[in-house]
Amino acid sequence: MTALTGQRRTVARDDLSADVTIIGAGFAGLVAGALLSKDGLKVRLLERDIHPGGCAARYQRKHAAGTFGFAVGATVCAGMEPGGLLHNIYRKLGISRELPNLDPVMRLHLNDRQAFVPGTRGGWAQELERAFPGEQAAKRHFWREVQSIADTMHYVAKCFPVMPFKNLHDVLDTARGAHPGALKVLMNLGQTVSQLLEKSGVSDPAHRAFIDGQLLDSMQIVSSGCTLTNGAYALEVYRYGAQYVPGGLATLAEDLADAIAANGGQIHYATRAKRIIIENGKVRGIESHGRNFLSPVVISTAPVPDTIALTNHDQALSGLQRQFEAMPEIWGAFTLYIGVKDSALPSDALRFEQITDFDDHGITENFLISSSAPGDLSRAPLGYRSITISTHVRAAEWFGLSEADYHDKKRAFESRILSRLEQLFPGFTDQIVLLESGTPRTFQRFTLHSLGRVGGMPQTTSSAAFGAIHHTTPIPGLLLAGETVFPGQGTLGVSVSGFNAYRTAKRFLGRQLQTRRGHMMSR
């Protein structure tokens, strides 16, 4: 991964004003910026990298065979099906991109068995019986409950709810997603996925490992701690539609960046926010290497602790700091970026494969393997494939090491993953032509997230929904978006947070305009 440093001007100038300045051109910032600029507001985004997308960006590597494009982090797309959350945002922006749904979406390798994740409920009913025989009545009961809750969550999510409730607007915005199943969702807010498994009488360890692998990737926590409401949606989300995006999710980020530019907004690449300017208790803009980007609204998509640091730990945010510190620990990621010959993968390999090994105590390994489609030349040269493999790690464990220990740790992780891949795809390692790895230290360097933590808050009963962090702050004009605020991680989650910040920014600016008009009329 590479990032360029732009030329820095040393004299501060106040010529970079806007209605809204956004920190970060990941999905949350891009969604907010695209919608605000579409509505005629002057928007500037500051992005530390030279490409949009954040953790869903891609980077390129030159090779004798040609250029490889690697998905930095996020890979699986959901929500671009007709009527899906991202599809609806595209429609609001007047842009379109049609992507076929995958079916099956992915295949899990669970010790000595395989289980597919179908793109339809009928397909899942058949796969459940084939891959996980036994306890069928109990398993059907579990999945009926999951599907019922997920249907409500899916409907509500597309209406862009806000939690926890802080004002009447939050209540009314969330009420737009009123659904007959809402009472059932509310009744299960304090329940975990594991509790529903036990209540249903399901004890199959392979079935639980399947669920835990899916939840760990999407909710950052396994069934024993995952809130049932969000977990149910995560387990069913691919049944509503999942897509492979040529070029990776960065292609969608580029669509949103183009929409911002088409409506007069600007993205300043290679531009790092150094300080959020606060005067008289209100936001005034952002300082970046001698330049002042002035605006009455700032939307920060940086993680909560990093946003607080940008305010020089303003006392008004002390409560927000305590709330974040009480949240579950956020994971880091170890990621392999591999260029291979086509022959490294069997002809029946899916775009997304997952290795979820387990024993009597739970998951022992969990790797998500995302490969480019044959012929996707934006990802790999003809005859080659680009592969991203990621797994969860404790972020803090990668810091404070000597360089020798750090590189030994990297090599050990690489060897472990490649050894498992070789078991799955014999001859795979002989076909590798390019290999790099990323650790939490890598992610800290390129995303600026403290400790390189990615993926967002684990969705527990205490940190999700009414326990989540709200997108507003005690500082007027300072709003939050991204994976550390409601509703949480994933492309869909951060897109909702971006929409919520957009909606609140418009209201804030509207009130300011009304106040100015009132002052002018009273003179």
Side-chain angles (χ1 to χ4, degrees), residues 22-30 45-48 54 271 273 299-302:
I22 300 172
I23 300 173
F27 265 85
L30 291 168
L45 283 82
L46 311 187
E47 170 53 48
R48 178 253 193 260
T271 303
I299 299 173
S300 175
T301 69

Side-chain angles (χ1 to χ4, degrees), residues 13 16 96 220 231 243 248 308 365 385 417 467 470 475 492 505:
R13 293 179 55 184
L16 295 165
S96 64
Q220 312 304 315
Q243 303 83 32
I308 293 172
E365 298 282 18
R385 308 284 276 279
I417 294 172
H470 198 271
I475 299 176
L492 296 181

Side-chain angles (χ1 to χ4, degrees), residues 27 53 91 127 132 388 421 450 458:
F27 265 85
R91 189 176 60 192
E127 181 62 10
F132 305 105
T388 300
L421 276 175
S450 54

